[in-house]
Amino acid sequence: MSPVVAILLLVAGLSEAAGRLLPVVARLSGVSHARVVSLLLAGAIVDGAVFALWPLSAWAVAGLVLPTSASDEAALVWTPGLAAPLVLAGVLAFPLLGPLLHLVLMVGVGAGLAGALATVAGVGWWEAAGCVTIAGIALGVSVEAVRRLVVKLNSRRAPEPVA
């Protein structure tokens, strides 16, 4: 992975994490700045890693379910042209800018990945799009489960009333 792609994925992860974390933090009172920054950086790393795993997961799904004509050495990887729209998708994750626009852009990024996968694996575009979709949904469900677990572990419980 080139340094440009790594930076793009990290910026996209930071933007995605900020879009998900800042509305939650705004509702909480008494949260320290250090806590917010640490959660934001952790979220950036997790979201960046999920973005980085998307083409590799799609390649793995294609290898499992499709007869690919490419060798194992020619795996699908991010390029700057494929990764750049993720930064915009992360920006659009802010709730005020619209989850529908975010979804549309993520579908566009997935379509770009599907085209690249179809070329590299030597399969049809629709089959590649199915693999990219399956990989994206699996990664999305996994990271959402981790987010919910982190929220549950970090939420403060109200003290029980003394009777």
Side-chain angles (χ1 to χ4, degrees):
M1 181 180 309
S2 74
V4 172
V5 172
I7 290 169
L8 283 172
L9 292 176
L10 188 59
V11 168
L14 178 64
S15 183
E16 184 83 17
R20 292 186 180 273
L21 182 67
L22 294 180
V24 173
V25 171
R27 291 187 295 238
L28 299 176
S29 62
V31 178
S32 70
H33 293 294
R35 179 92 168 139
V36 171
V37 169
S38 66
L39 286 173
L40 193 60
L41 290 176
I45 291 169
V46 168
D47 283 331
V50 169
F51 287 147
L53 289 174
W54 194 9
L56 297 174
S57 300
W59 179 257
V61 170
L64 291 174
V65 299
L66 298 175
T68 60
S69 63
S71 67
D72 290 337
E73 300 168 4
L76 179 63
V77 295
W78 284 113
T79 62
L82 288 173
L86 285 174
V87 177
L88 183 57
V91 169
L92 290 177
F94 283 102
L96 296 177
L97 294 177
L100 182 61
L101 290 174
H102 181 252
L103 177 65
V104 167
L105 194 56
M106 290 304 287
V107 168
V109 171
L113 278 176
L117 179 61
T119 302
V120 171
V123 298
W125 189 87
W126 287 106
E127 292 87 4
C131 293
V132 169
T133 302
I134 290 169
I137 289 172
L139 287 169
V141 167
S142 299
V143 79
E144 189 61 32
V146 170
R147 281 186 188 119
R148 290 181 186 269
L149 178 64
V150 168
V151 167
K152 186 175 182 175
L153 293 175
N154 286 313
S155 64
R156 296 182 191 168
R157 293 194 175 108
E160 295 183 18
V162 178

